[in-house]
């Protein structure tokens, strides 16, 4: 039995896994939906380091827990592979490359007062990413839904809810799990006939787009981004409205233009989209602010994966738990498809973007070994050419 079937996996070392997540964090464009698809393809289908069952359990737990989806899945897969050490190193390896890239862009942004070329690059990248997401979502559907009409129904409902509300509704996820659990338990019972610190730091480490940050500002940053990491459910994209409300409307740390630029930076760099928090932190309080914002966001999701992971995996094979997880997984797959629709509506705004998306999808389907980073870079260049004034 292969890893894809949930059985034996190929041997691999922790160094192999850390090296993989460093590579994915460096080259993985497309946001949470695409990143989870890459993990499925690379770790389950190609390398077979992770079993299909473990992957699906990790996806379900990542959807149930608040915080960035792709980072949580990476942490869980690291835990499955090598326990707490594996979870820690996998999480760090996945986030660190994009954090460093965002720091470079943040320094340039503050130094030169903006990065106008980002909009052109994002135009091309956004269109290409839709194609990458569409392919990943299709493969995930094949893996999770099989031929179960109930799971397909949950998939459709969650896709529609996500497309309509433009967010992932945790209550619908939980309800989906309960529906599958109740249906399967009811069937079984019926068949049986029974019932059922700033002052110590030099100023240059605390200087962002404005003045040197105070200790109070750092404390506010830490608390705000910890709340973002602990209480915002769904993919990394789901955190954007929460961040806008706090960073722009409440605290007035950034203006609208700076916030949009922060989101664009996250989209044009590989790794988790939620790394935009580091860019925001840098603009508010320099390098120290970036570290505080990133740590505040990622630490809760790390703890909320590692702490329940043992219990979750130990009991995931029990029929009742498995039914609930199947429902949540189908809901997550539907939410991913709905999110793909939302992203497509925002990214494919004209004929040029539609053409870039279509060509990218054809390339990915016909040349299956075409490296996504190269495809994204080409799309970015095309976007810059099309949007060059």
């Amino acid at each position: 039995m292969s890893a894809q079937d949930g059985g034996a996996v190929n041997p691999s070392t922790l160094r192999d896994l850390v090296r993989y997540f460093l590579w994915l964090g460096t080259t993985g464009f497309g946001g949470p939906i695409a990143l989870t698809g890459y993990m499925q393809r690379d770790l389950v289908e190609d390398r077979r380091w992770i079993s299909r069952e473990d992957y699906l359990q990790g996806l379900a737990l990542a959807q149930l827990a608040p915080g960035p989806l792709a980072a949580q899945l990476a942490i869980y897969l690291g835990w499955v592979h090598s326990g707490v050490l594996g979870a820690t190193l996998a999480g760090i390896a996945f986030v660190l490359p994009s954090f460093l890239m965002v720091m470079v862009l943040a320094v340039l942004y503050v130094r030169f007062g903006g990065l106008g070329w980002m909009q052109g690059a994002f135009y091309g990248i956004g269109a290409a990413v839709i194609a990458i997401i569409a392919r990943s979502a299709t493969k995930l559907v094949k893996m999770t839904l099989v031929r179960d009409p109930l799971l397909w129904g949950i998939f459709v409902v969650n896709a529609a809810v996500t497309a309509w509300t433009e967010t992932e509704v945790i209550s619908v996820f939980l309800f989906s799990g309960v529906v599958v659990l109740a249906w399967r338990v009811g069937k079984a019972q019926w068949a049986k006939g029974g019932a059922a610190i700033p002052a110590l730091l030099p100023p240059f480490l605390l200087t962002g787009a404005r003045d040197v940050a105070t200790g109070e500002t750092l404390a506010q940053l830490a608390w705000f981004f910890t709340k973002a990491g602990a209480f915002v459910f769904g993919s990394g994209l789901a955190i954007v409205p929460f961040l806008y409300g706090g960073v722009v409307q409440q605290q007035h740390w950034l203006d609208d233009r700076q916030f949009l630029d922060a989101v664009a930076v996250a989209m044009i760099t590989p790794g988790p989209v939620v790394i935009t928090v580091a860019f925001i932190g840098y603009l508010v309080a320099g390098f120290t602010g970036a570290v505080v914002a990133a740590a505040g966001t990622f630490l809760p999701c790390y703890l909320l994966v590692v702490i329940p992971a043992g219990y979750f995996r130990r009991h995931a094979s029990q029929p009742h738990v498995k039914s609930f997880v199947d429902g949540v997984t189908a809901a997550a797959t539907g939410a991913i498809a709905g999110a793909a629709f939302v992203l497509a509506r925002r990214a494919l705004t004209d004929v040029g973007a539609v053409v870039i998306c279509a060509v990218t999808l054809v390339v990915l389907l016909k040349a299956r070994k075409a490296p996504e980073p190269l495809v994204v870079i080409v799309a970015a260049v095309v976007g810059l050419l099309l949007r060059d004034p």
Side-chain angles (χ1 to χ4, degrees), residues 42-384:
D42 300 335
L43 299 178
V44 179
E45 298 174 3
D46 296 345
R47 293 172 173 83
R48 298 185 177 180
W49 292 349
I50 302 293
S51 73
R52 174 182 177 274
E53 183 178 359
D54 281 332
Y55 174 85
L56 292 178
Q57 290 173 3
L59 183 63
L61 179 58
Q63 287 286 357
L64 285 172
L69 175 66
Q72 289 170 312
L73 182 57
I75 291 168
Y76 183 83
L77 297 182
W79 180 88
V80 166
H81 188 280
S82 300
V84 174
L85 179 61
T88 305
L89 295 181
I92 293 173
F94 181 54
V95 172
L96 184 60
S98 56
F99 176 84
L100 296 177
M101 294 180 204
V102 166
M103 283 301 90
V104 172
L105 289 173
V107 171
L108 294 175
Y109 185 93
V110 173
R111 174 66 179 82
F112 297 106
L115 297 172
W117 57 268
M118 286 193 307
Q119 302 304 319
F122 180 60
Y123 172 79
I125 291 173
V129 161
I130 299 303
I132 295 173
I133 290 173
R135 187 181 68 164
S136 299
T138 301
K139 295 172 72 173
L140 190 58
V141 165
K142 293 179 180 178
M143 174 184 285
T144 59
L145 303 184
V146 290
R147 296 182 179 180
D148 190 321
L150 178 59
L151 296 183
W152 273 99
I154 288 175
F155 164 82
V156 171
V157 169
N158 278 269
V161 169
T162 303
W164 180 262
T165 64
E166 300 189 359
T167 187
E168 295 167 337
V169 184
I170 187 63
S171 59
V172 180
F173 280 39
L174 296 173
F175 182 71
S176 300
V178 171
V179 167
V180 176
L181 171 60
W183 172 255
R184 292 181 179 176
V185 169
K187 280 178 56 180
Q189 295 300 329
W190 180 83
K192 295 177 182 178
I197 304 179
L200 301 178
L201 297 173
F204 74 89
L205 289 179
L206 294 162
T207 305
R210 300 180 180 178
D211 297 329
V212 178
T214 64
E216 182 182 0
T217 299
L218 280 182
Q220 290 173 343
L221 273 175
W223 175 237
F224 175 76
F225 286 105
T226 299
K227 289 190 296 182
F231 299 110
V232 177
F233 289 86
S235 71
L237 298 170
I239 203 174
V240 172
F242 181 88
L243 293 180
Y244 179 81
V247 170
V248 179
Q249 296 180 328
Q250 296 175 11
Q251 298 293 345
H252 305 292
W253 285 329
L254 305 182
D255 57 31
D256 284 345
R257 178 72 266 164
Q258 290 172 322
F259 183 81
L260 291 175
D261 288 342
V263 176
V265 164
M267 294 299 295
I268 67 170
T269 53
V273 172
V274 77
I275 200 63
T276 189
V277 301
F279 190 90
I280 294 171
Y282 184 91
L283 296 189
V284 177
F287 181 77
T288 305
V291 173
V292 167
T297 303
F298 286 101
L299 182 58
C301 81
Y302 168 82
L303 296 175
L304 290 169
V305 170
V306 171
I307 292 174
Y311 178 87
F312 187 82
R313 193 183 189 213
R314 186 162 56 249
H315 297 283
S317 60
Q318 295 182 4
H320 293 178
V321 178
K322 188 176 187 303
S323 296
F324 181 80
V325 170
D326 285 348
V328 172
T329 304
T333 305
I336 287 173
F341 173 80
V342 173
L343 291 173
R345 190 169 60 190
R346 293 175 177 174
L348 307 183
T349 55
D350 55 29
V351 175
V354 172
V355 170
I356 293 174
C357 177
V359 171
T360 301
L361 186 58
V362 170
V363 169
L364 293 174
L365 292 176
K366 297 296 183 181
R368 297 186 177 182
K369 294 189 178 297
E372 283 90 352
L374 179 59
V375 173
V376 170
I377 290 172
V378 172
V381 173
V382 173
L384 283 170

Side-chain angles (χ1 to χ4, degrees), residues 6-45:
V9 298
N10 292 335
S12 59
T13 66
L14 179 56
R15 178 178 295 181
D16 293 331
L17 192 70
V18 170
R19 187 182 297 118
Y20 167 76
F21 279 114
L22 279 171
W23 173 83
L24 183 62
T26 304
T27 63
F29 290 90
I33 305 171
L35 290 168
T36 55
Y38 297 151
M39 294 181 213
Q40 172 196 332
R41 179 198 63 190
D42 300 335
L43 299 178
V44 179
E45 298 174 3

